[in-house]
Amino acid sequence: MSQIPTATENKAEKPPAWEGFVPGNWCEEIDVRDFIQNNYTPYEGDDSFLAEPTEKIKRLWNHLDQNYLSVERKQRVYDVDLDTPADVDAFGPGYISDDDDVIVGLQTDVPLKRAMMPNGGWRMVETAIKEAGKEANPEIKRIFTHYRKTHNDAVFDIYTPRIRAARSSHIITGLPDAYGRGRIIGDYRRVALYGVDKLIEEKLKAKDRVVNEPFSEHWARYREEHAEQIKALDKLKTMAQSYGFDISGPAKTAKEAVQWTYFGYLASVKSQDGAAMSIGRLSGFFDIYFERDFKKGILTEPEAQEIIDALVMKLRIVRFLRTKAYDEIFSGDPYWATWSDAGFGEDGRTLVTKTSFRLLQTLVNLGPAPEPNITVFWNENLPEGYKKFCAKISIETSSIQYEADKQIRDHWGDDAAIACCVSPMRIGKQMQFFGARVNAAKALLYAINGGRDEMTGKLVAPGYESISGDEALDFDDVWVKYEAMLDWVIETYVEALNIIHYCHDRYAYEAIEMALHDSDIVRTMGCGIAGLSIVADSLAAIKYAKVYPVRDETGLIVDYRTEGDFPTYGNDDDRADDIAATVVHTIMSKIKAIPMYRGAIATQSVLTITSNVVYGKFTGSFPSGHMKGTPFAPGANPENGVDTHGMLASMLSVGKLDYDDALDGISLTNTIVPSSLGRNLDEQVTSLVGIMDAGFVRKG
């Protein structure tokens, strides 16, 4: 075991790896935030110090592209391991090439080779293998269909008839019942700061804290989960040892700190294929080690950039074995290795460091890429040099996501990170039960049709009256019916989520990710809605114009004839924007009224960045004019082409949604032609910074 002192030992005694660090509570207990706050160096300069990629990085990236990525671009899946169910230590060491010695570690033994993760469900694994042009190993299939029950098997054993009906009709879509739920951010920094032996020691103590309590389901699960976490930490040490590293103790240099941290993350993506596998908030943490090594004279700026470039390169080649249907839901092959950065600390200091710049520089050195999903916590008071560099990189690469620093910090503290696209949580203190989302727009059509599906005519939600007659729809009548239908939809949805997460904990538990959390954590249930702009515009049409139903031969309302003008969401018009805010609040109130698995706190997102096409495909026409089968606008965006007052107006409309009703996050995706921002890059950067500042000042 390592020699890190515990709270009961001599507090003056420190391991050599901590030499030069300012002490604090982090020396006495696991507290990475305290370490950062006591030791980081805010940076308020510009990007002039940054380094270009080293020759080694260029060779590595070129080798990776020519020998692996180019193959994958042609055939979708480079390769699949058919014989080894994935785990933290299931594979031997793998390297990109002989040059790969800066930050090491691959998911399997070959770049881009995908591993099976059958604990989530065998059917998805087998389908994905076939779609990759291969055949599953019959022995592995026999094990996971005869001897080892999977998460997916358990879920469908428990599902009720109404859940199955809602799922097949696509009013609830994307449920994590056949794939890993994700949305859990391990505090991977703990591996570097404390070493694995200290983490095991703390988990053993936590496990035995309840040893004298009387038996209960909670007591048994608490001890069993801690036992699984300890086993996972041992596997983490074994995996790192296969690459020649002893991570039992703390990292001694900046390079080791990045490597140790990456090993923690690598263990997670080796053992889980969650819908989002975010890496957390790392720049300030790494920067402390870089600054110490600079002072010692053992590190140069090109070497520091090389380390970050090498890490980001590894994050770009994480792959999971997915089906084509999964790729359709998520519009590609994302895994959201979200890296959160910037913002302000609770003491008023900026959290921007030189490594915040180094992270953005990877988009120059390696070229644009969606992974890791770089997420900047924006605040109008951020250092001007950093804001301008962010804007410049956004214009040149379109590869940065922005979140509201103040909103996140006020609710989740200054050591929060995004667990996907917009879902914040305190690192190592909190986890989410991911819940996909309900089709709030389709629910409106169900309300109008008395629970019949507008695409198939099937009765999905029995016991509700449809709109009668052919006169113009009455807003109050439609709203009452919509609220009643939402009761059925939300009850069905939350029931499904409770089942899913009960089964996931039993059959696909994220042991290594949870080992990098405190033992007592906050759990949230991340519910979500799709189609907000369609609902808002359709209700606005019913309220302010004349909307007449159009029926088919069976009496099913399949289209609408709308006469007159009506306000639309996304143009800073309170008439439509208030309807949108009311819909979000109403749904959240209904979600909160239902008990959640493991006492989770209900949250909600307005997020369909990737699945808006699939939702539209299975949804009919609307009073707003939205046509059957066409894509929804993403997230909280206004309807495509309806926002006629510009980007700032749409930001102001979205800002009217109450964040307390959507603590899991609200997304707005904007597309800007750079030339529209100014005649040259300097003008474009200044304009974009101004738009961002204005939008976020107004509660964006």
Side-chain angles (χ1 to χ4, degrees):
M1 302 290 279
S2 69
Q3 299 302 308
I4 301 173
T6 66
T8 58
E9 294 172 339
N10 181 2
K11 294 183 179 181
E13 184 182 346
K14 294 191 299 183
W18 291 356
E19 183 182 347
F21 293 148
V22 177
N25 185 65
W26 65 271
C27 298
E28 314 305 326
E29 56 185 75
I30 306 295
D31 190 346
V32 178
R33 178 192 175 273
D34 184 69
F35 168 74
I36 294 170
Q37 288 294 310
N38 276 289
N39 288 280
Y40 86 100
T41 304
Y43 179 67
E44 301 198 7
D46 61 20
D47 59 318
S48 58
F49 72 94
L50 289 168
E52 296 181 350
T54 62
E55 290 303 313
K56 176 175 287 189
I57 289 296
K58 291 178 182 178
R59 288 195 304 272
L60 269 176
W61 187 245
N62 287 336
H63 182 87
L64 186 63
D65 186 64
Q66 293 173 13
N67 294 279
Y68 299 99
L69 293 171
S70 62
V71 176
E72 187 180 64
R73 286 193 291 268
K74 295 175 184 176
Q75 63 188 41
R76 180 174 171 267
V77 174
Y78 177 82
D79 196 8
V80 180
D81 187 291
L82 303 174
D83 304 315
T84 314
D87 202 350
V88 174
D89 59 351
F91 292 92
Y95 300 89
I96 295 172
S97 70
D98 293 341
D99 263 348
D100 188 8
D101 60 1
V102 182
I103 298 298
V104 302
L106 301 177
Q107 279 177 292
T108 58
D109 56 341
V110 175
L112 306 185
K113 183 196 283 188
R114 306 184 188 217
M116 296 180 292
M117 296 191 181
N119 289 340
W122 176 255
R123 281 178 292 178
M124 175 173 270
V125 168
E126 187 170 34
T127 300
I129 289 172
K130 288 181 179 177
E131 290 176 348
K134 299 179 181 294
E135 290 295 324
N137 182 321
E139 181 62 20
I140 302 296
K141 178 177 180 177
R142 190 167 69 90
I143 291 170
F144 285 94
T145 54
H146 287 78
Y147 303 113
R148 175 54 159 87
K149 189 170 187 176
T150 69
H151 158 60
N152 180 246
D153 293 333
V155 167
F156 278 85
D157 281 349
I158 303 173
Y159 266 173
T160 61
R162 71 173 180 175
I163 294 174
R164 290 174 180 265
R167 190 179 184 275
S168 62
S169 69
H170 303 280
I171 196 166
I172 302 175
T173 300
L175 292 170
D177 51 17
Y179 61 89
R181 56 191 170 192
R183 299 283 187 95
I184 299 173
I185 310 175
D187 190 353
Y188 305 111
R189 305 167 302 186
R190 296 183 180 191
V191 180
L193 183 57
Y194 296 104
V196 175
D197 282 355
K198 176 63 176 177
L199 302 181
I200 291 173
E201 178 185 317
E202 291 299 313
K203 288 296 179 180
L204 285 167
K205 290 178 184 176
K207 179 186 177 185
D208 287 340
R209 274 205 303 266
V210 298
V211 71
N212 294 319
E213 292 182 13
F215 179 86
S216 67
E217 184 177 350
H218 168 75
W219 176 91
R221 175 160 55 185
Y222 182 89
R223 286 185 55 77
E224 183 182 24
E225 287 182 350
H226 275 72
E228 291 300 313
Q229 292 172 25
I230 292 164
K231 292 174 188 174
L233 288 169
D234 276 325
K235 292 178 181 179
L236 170 58
K237 287 175 59 177
T238 301
M239 183 265 288
Q241 188 63 53
S242 74
Y243 285 96
F245 292 94
D246 178 5
I247 63 172
S248 59
K252 298 180 288 298
T253 65
K255 187 174 179 180
E256 284 191 355
V258 175
Q259 180 69 70
W260 270 222
T261 301
Y262 173 61
F263 276 143
Y265 182 74
L266 183 61
S268 295
V269 296
K270 278 176 170 285
S271 57
Q272 286 290 331
D273 60 348
M277 298 292 288
S278 300
I279 198 167
R281 193 179 183 100
L282 303 178
S283 295
F285 179 76
F286 289 158
D287 200 77
I288 295 167
Y289 288 87
F290 285 138
E291 288 297 313
R292 187 179 67 169
D293 283 4
F294 286 142
K295 290 176 183 176
K296 289 182 177 180
I298 60 173
L299 187 71
T300 65
E301 183 56 44
E303 289 169 339
Q305 186 65 53
E306 181 180 70
I307 291 169
I308 297 300
D309 285 346
L311 173 61
V312 167
M313 191 184 303
K314 289 301 194 302
L315 299 180
R316 290 188 180 189
I317 59 173
V318 169
R319 297 290 187 272
F320 294 117
L321 183 61
R322 308 291 202 191
T323 63
K324 291 180 179 178
Y326 179 98
D327 288 357
E328 184 177 90
I329 291 175
F330 293 101
S331 296
D333 193 15
Y335 71 99
W336 289 287
T338 305
W339 183 325
S340 303
D341 208 346
F344 279 84
E346 292 169 6
D347 62 1
R349 293 183 295 162
T350 178
L351 291 168
V352 172
T353 64
K354 283 189 173 182
T355 300
S356 303
F357 282 81
R358 294 180 185 114
L359 174 63
L360 298 182
Q361 181 69 6
T362 65
L363 295 168
V364 177
N365 290 357
L366 302 177
E371 303 287 2
N373 179 19
I374 297 174
T375 300
V376 171
F377 289 1
W378 189 271
N379 187 303
E380 70 274 14
N381 296 315
L382 285 172
E384 200 65 23
Y386 181 70
K387 291 200 296 183
K388 288 182 177 180
F389 191 57
C390 285
K392 176 178 178 288
I393 296 298
S394 282
I395 290 167
E396 293 178 346
T397 71
S398 192
S399 299
I400 307 177
Q401 174 176 277
Y402 297 95
E403 308 273 347
D405 171 58
K406 188 175 187 306
Q407 298 271 31
I408 292 171
R409 189 174 68 255
D410 287 351
H411 287 82
W412 311 104
D414 60 8
D415 195 39
I418 301 298
C420 183
C421 297
V422 296
S423 307
M425 61 185 66
R426 296 176 189 266
I427 303 174
K429 311 287 183 184
Q430 182 181 337
M431 68 158 289
Q432 181 192 104
F433 295 135
F434 169 52
R437 51 202 62 88
V438 296
N439 191 333
K442 194 176 182 75
L444 178 63
L445 301 183
Y446 273 36
I448 292 171
N449 276 310
R452 290 179 69 191
D453 189 280
E454 75 285 355
M455 301 289 278
T456 65
K458 291 181 180 178
L459 181 62
V460 176
Y464 296 90
E465 291 186 5
S466 63
I467 296 288
S468 60
D470 295 323
E471 63 272 12
L473 301 180
D474 177 75
F475 177 83
D476 291 335
D477 182 35
V478 170
W479 179 257
V480 168
K481 284 181 166 55
Y482 186 45
E483 273 220 71
M485 184 55 61
L486 285 174
D487 285 334
W488 183 89
V489 172
I490 296 303
E491 286 172 4
T492 306
Y493 179 41
V494 175
E495 183 177 76
L497 296 184
N498 285 335
I499 291 168
I500 287 166
H501 293 294
Y502 165 81
C503 295
H504 207 295
D505 276 352
R506 290 194 67 189
Y507 298 102
Y509 180 64
E510 300 92 340
I512 189 62
E513 291 168 85
M514 297 312 299
L516 300 173
H517 280 71
D518 291 353
S519 290
D520 298 305
I521 60 168
V522 172
R523 294 178 175 86
T524 61
M525 184 71 78
C527 305
I529 60 172
L532 176 63
S533 59
I534 300 173
V535 176
D537 290 355
S538 294
L539 290 172
I542 294 168
K543 186 172 185 177
Y544 294 103
K546 296 288 186 183
V547 176
Y548 299 91
V550 176
R551 301 178 186 273
D552 68 7
E553 63 278 4
T554 70
L556 183 71
I557 298 173
V558 294
D559 206 352
Y560 302 87
R561 178 168 55 87
T562 300
E563 298 178 356
D565 296 326
F566 56 92
T568 52
Y569 166 75
N571 294 294
D572 196 21
D573 187 323
D574 287 345
R575 294 174 297 167
D577 297 344
D578 287 350
I579 291 174
T582 299
V583 170
V584 173
H585 178 74
T586 299
I587 293 175
M588 188 68 248
S589 298
K590 294 180 183 299
I591 292 171
K592 283 182 178 178
I594 305 173
M596 301 285 167
Y597 171 65
R598 293 189 87 163
I601 299 168
T603 62
Q604 178 178 216
S605 66
V606 187
L607 168 68
T608 52
I609 284 177
T610 55
S611 52
N612 47 304
V613 175
V614 172
Y615 280 98
K617 181 179 179 181
F618 296 104
T619 305
S621 297
F622 286 86
S624 65
H626 186 97
M627 299 300 293
K628 171 184 175 181
T630 57
F632 287 8
N637 274 50
E639 274 283 83
N640 298 321
V642 170
D643 51 330
T644 58
H645 288 59
M647 177 177 170
L648 183 57
S650 68
M651 293 179 77
L652 296 177
S653 289
V654 172
K656 294 173 190 175
L657 305 178
D658 191 338
Y659 184 54
D660 285 329
D661 288 328
L663 288 173
D664 194 40
I666 304 168
S667 75
L668 172 66
T669 305
N670 274 303
T671 302
I672 306 172
V673 178
S675 60
S676 68
L677 293 170
R679 292 167 296 180
N680 54 53
L681 184 59
D682 286 343
E683 286 186 5
Q684 292 166 9
V685 165
T686 300
S687 296
L688 185 54
V689 168
I691 291 171
M692 297 285 288
D693 282 347
F696 280 109
V697 165
R698 291 284 298 274
K699 298 179 68 176

